[in-house]
Amino acid sequence: MMVEAIIHMRDLIKQYQMGDTTVTALDHASITVKKGDFVSIVGPSGSGKSTLMNIIGCLDHPDSGEYILEGQTVDKMKDYQLATIRNENIGFIFQNFNLLSRLTAVENVELPLIYRGTKAKERREMAMESLKKVGIADRAGHLPHQLSGGQQQRVAIARALVGEPPILLADEPTGALDSQTSKEIMEVLSQLNQQGHTIILITHDPEVAKMGKRMVRISDGKLSEVGMNEHEYLHIH
Amino acid sequence: MSIFTSIKMAMRNIKGNKMRALLTMLGIIIGVSSVITLVSIGQGSSQSVSESINDLGTNLLTVNISNTDIPFTLDDVDKVKEIDGVKNVSPVLSGRVTLKNGKTTSTVSFTGSNASYEDVRNLSISNGRFITDIDMDYRQKVVVLGSDTATTLFGRENPVDQKVLVNGESYRVVGVLASKGGSMGQNSDDTVIIPFSTAQRLLGTTHITQFYAQADSQDTINRTMLMIERNLYEVFGDADSYSVANQQDVMDTMSSVNDTMTMLLGGIASISLLVGGIGIMNIMFVSVTERTKEIGIRKSIGAKRKDILLQFLIEAIVLSALGGIIGVGLGLLATKIYTLATGSVAAYSLSVILASFLFSLAVGVIFGVFPANKASKLNPIQALRFE
Ligand SMILES: Nc1ncnc2c1ncn2[C@@H]1O[C@H](COP(=O)(O)OP(=O)(O)O)[C@@H](O)[C@H]1O
Ligand SMILES: [Mg+2]
């Protein structure tokens, strides 16, 4: 059975100029992600994880290489086109939640729909639905500072989910949480994956990474698939 | 994103920081309210100046005769009336007299004139009648009382057909003037009017030193003025013996002075509006910096440059509009307080209120654009990293 590729990246290069020296953050990085996948990308600090995530998330352009997202070539798109791609195809989940502090949980979840032009009533219904999915509907009217870290991250996941994007992109989603809460959040992500959501998880923590179906290691901007054996190995340790 | 949603979002942000919003709007509030107050007061005073000048009489020419060597008589005045474009003429003699009714005495100004004087000076009678031509011809000892004078002498009694002593001589009251209120520093209600011929005898003079000529219309008043001057030149043979003044000239000068004042005040107030705009710009810049993270989040979620631009622009506009509305209210209030405290009139003009409100909106747009543009241009990755 052929499963269609949602993400297809080939030979991505991203370099930063720091005075005289050139830092290669991504060095011929290639990866293909299929629908329904749960990919963990692991690597130490400075290995290029955030750079990769920014490019996958269409926040940044690669210097060269090919990036096809849902059949659209995005590597040379204009900023306003990328904004639309982000809105419709990517659900971001950040390490520090990144909720707007003045908006209630449900209003935060509504945000992606606002930029899509969804009508207020429909927006509210979809946002509540999304909050229900991550089990936090009872806190819809709370402001972020009235919620615990784990609850905030659930709201953030609900926000990522609400527009039904093909890809959920999580950058260290458990980085700011204690181990118990981390487990719960990973549980939520696993469930979402089982419901058919494609997830790309970026982390430096192998414990977290092993929750994925597939693991990709990044070091010095180079990507390498971690074989099943090694994956198993990591599972055990 | 719809404009309505943007406005709601902006209102939330403003509500979230009321004190700052108020301080941001302060410049606009002061600007708009001072424009409205100053212009209303200014226009009110020019209106009251022109009203009081109009009260003196419409299309009025005042002729003063300084040469007493050549006697200027009633016949000469009648000749002026024959001039094309002259509607009425009224010779006047004035001075002060002592009035007495029983035990009540009062010293007031008097004017001796003819029947036309009522028209010429825009007077009206509230009771009885005005002086007539027959009173003039027969030097009748009749008197028309100003409304205040009537009250002083007769209280609540009807003074018509009663006797009053004018400098010791008995006169019959034939009418009472309607109240006009004070204008141009004189109380036109505390006065009496007697026939011109009677006044000449009272003062023991045959000369005429002043008369009014009323022109047919405002359009021809300058031509009429020239004709009168030509007629007087024929009588006296030199131009220094008389002077003719046009009431309109005085009015125009006064109102142009007033207009200039209003413009000046309005200009100063507009500058404060501009300063208010700069205030909005400063705070909006601070706000953009503070909310860098928010901008990053919104962009990562799919906000386009124009969404962010619109959000901040609308926030600036809502702030300035709110400031404008508060300013209008405060301006009207301040004007009301001023008129109540000083007893003067103010002319509220809808166009000024509207203009200053629109100006404050424009200020919001113009000064909101720069910070909004800065916000919209932020790089989402850097903005997200901002703490
Ligand atoms: N904006 C930038 N300017 C210069 N160098 C950068 C920038 N962003 C990242 N880098 C460099 O690129 C490399 C990869 O960084 P990053 O993708 O943030 O790694 P990670 O997220 O895995 O820690 C690092 O050496 C980092 O210093
Ligand atoms: Mg990183």
Side-chain angles (χ1 to χ4, degrees), chain B residues 239-252:
Chain B
D240 294 334
S241 302
Y242 58 87
S243 68
V244 184
N246 182 350
Q247 207 72 71
Q248 187 63 31
D249 291 344
V250 182
M251 191 156 125
D252 287 350

Side-chain angles (χ1 to χ4, degrees), chain B residues 84-342:
Chain B
D84 198 27
V86 177
K87 190 168 154 200
N88 278 315
V89 286
S90 284
V92 286
L93 260 180
S94 50
R96 291 185 77 74
V97 286
T98 304
L99 305 176
K100 194 168 181 188
N101 173 38
K103 287 204 174 68
T104 322
T105 50
S106 171
T107 303
V108 299
S109 66
F110 82 93
T111 306
S113 194
N114 59 4
S116 310
Y117 191 71
E118 185 182 3
D119 256 2
V120 167
R121 293 298 301 268
N122 273 355
L123 301 175
S124 55
I125 288 288
S126 68
N127 189 4
R129 64 168 176 85
F130 198 70
I131 304 221
T132 60
D133 288 336
I134 297 178
D135 295 330
M136 268 287 273
D137 294 346
Y138 291 93
R139 293 189 184 164
Q140 291 289 340
K141 288 183 181 169
V142 293
V143 62
V144 174
L145 303 179
S147 59
D148 284 357
T149 312
T151 318
T152 311
L153 293 176
F154 293 96
R156 304 180 64 119
E157 267 180 83
N158 181 3
V160 175
D161 284 334
Q162 305 235 37
K163 297 285 178 203
V164 65
L165 293 177
V166 177
N167 282 1
E169 288 188 62
S170 177
Y171 280 61
R172 186 165 59 92
V173 177
V174 293
V176 178
L177 294 174
S179 171
K180 256 183 136 178
S183 74
M184 306 294 286
Q186 68 185 66
N187 184 351
S188 52
D189 293 337
D190 204 9
T191 189
V192 296
I193 297 169
I194 56 176
F196 183 77
S197 49
T198 316
Q200 275 184 315
R201 179 181 282 176
L202 187 72
L203 293 182
T205 174
T206 52
H207 288 297
I208 294 174
T209 54
Q210 190 182 45
F211 70 91
Y212 293 111
Q214 189 177 28
D216 277 339
S217 81
Q218 193 56 50
D219 305 330
T220 56
I221 194 162
N222 285 326
R223 209 176 69 88
T224 310
M225 190 167 159
L226 276 173
M227 303 278 278
I228 293 173
E229 279 172 338
R230 189 181 299 166
N231 174 283
L232 293 172
Y233 191 82
E234 274 167 25
V235 175
F236 291 104
D238 80 293
D240 294 334
S241 302
Y242 58 87
S243 68
V244 184
N246 182 350
Q247 207 72 71
Q248 187 63 31
D249 291 344
V250 182
M251 191 156 125
D252 287 350
T253 316
M254 294 286 265
S255 74
S256 91
V257 167
N258 245 307
D259 283 352
T260 313
M261 281 299 285
T262 306
M263 294 270 285
L264 263 173
L265 293 175
I268 292 169
S270 305
I271 290 170
S272 75
L273 250 180
L274 216 64
V275 174
I278 294 169
I280 285 196
M281 183 166 70
N282 282 334
I283 305 278
M284 289 302 292
F285 268 126
V286 171
S287 175
V288 168
T289 307
E290 275 181 0
R291 286 154 65 190
T292 300
K293 179 99 180 188
E294 174 187 332
I295 295 163
I297 294 170
R298 286 181 186 275
K299 282 197 161 184
S300 74
I301 279 167
K304 296 186 181 69
R305 265 196 65 179
K306 79 160 208 283
D307 292 324
I308 302 291
L309 186 99
L310 217 62
Q311 182 191 340
F312 280 88
L313 195 57
I314 284 175
E315 218 170 295
I317 294 170
V318 168
L319 271 175
S320 58
L322 226 58
I325 289 168
I326 297 174
V328 167
L330 225 60
L332 294 178
L333 193 74
T335 312
K336 188 84 209 163
I337 290 171
Y338 173 84
T339 55
L340 289 179
T342 63

